[in-house]
Amino acid sequence: QVQLVESGGGVVQAGGSLRLSCAASGISFSISAMNWYRQAPGKQRELIATVRSGGITRYADSVKGRFSISRDNAKNTVYLQMNSLKPDDTAVYYCNRPAVVSLGLVDYWGQGTQVTVSS
């Protein structure tokens, strides 16, 4: 059974930090790229960070320089360190393992964790 379980969300004041975790099970984690998305009320889901299997990372301009994605293959866990948080970062944050057709990998999502940044 595949599970992606996010944790670490909460309420934080502007300028503060949070660290999100996504624990994966039932997938070939070490060969998988992993993504963090977020969705604010009334807005489309936004891809904010990616870490590839080899460790290469990519960020959306909206979080570049403030957020950092990392992975621990021994723990099958991907992290999102969020610093200098702004009220605009308020959203539900989702962990995602994207589909890769050539490798037979299917798209999976976690249930999401709420992050609220107060001004």
Side-chain angles (χ1 to χ4, degrees):
Q1 182 181 0
V2 175
Q3 281 192 308
L4 298 180
V5 180
E6 301 100 334
S7 61
V11 180
V12 63
Q13 287 191 329
S17 298
L18 282 175
R19 188 195 197 202
L20 305 184
S21 299
C22 171
S25 58
I27 64 170
S28 301
F29 184 83
S30 63
I31 67 169
S32 298
M34 297 297 295
N35 296 321
W36 282 100
Y37 282 77
R38 68 184 180 186
Q39 188 166 21
K43 295 188 177 180
Q44 289 190 331
R45 194 168 293 190
E46 173 190 20
L47 174 61
I48 57 171
T50 298
V51 59
R52 302 183 72 167
S53 57
I56 294 174
T57 58
R58 185 173 60 189
Y59 300 93
D61 287 344
S62 57
V63 305
K64 199 173 294 183
R66 300 187 298 121
F67 290 11
S68 177
I69 188 171
S70 62
R71 64 190 298 155
D72 185 336
N73 288 343
K75 296 182 178 180
N76 284 3
T77 300
V78 60
Y79 303 97
L80 186 69
Q81 177 66 44
M82 306 187 294
N83 299 326
S84 303
L85 283 161
K86 306 174 182 179
D88 283 350
D89 294 318
T90 295
V92 179
Y93 284 71
Y94 296 92
C95 175
N96 163 255
R97 200 287 297 274
V100 181
V101 174
S102 61
L103 296 178
L105 300 181
V106 178
D107 190 55
Y108 290 112
W109 293 86
Q111 81 288 349
T113 186
Q114 176 71 46
V115 172
T116 302
V117 184
S118 62
S119 57

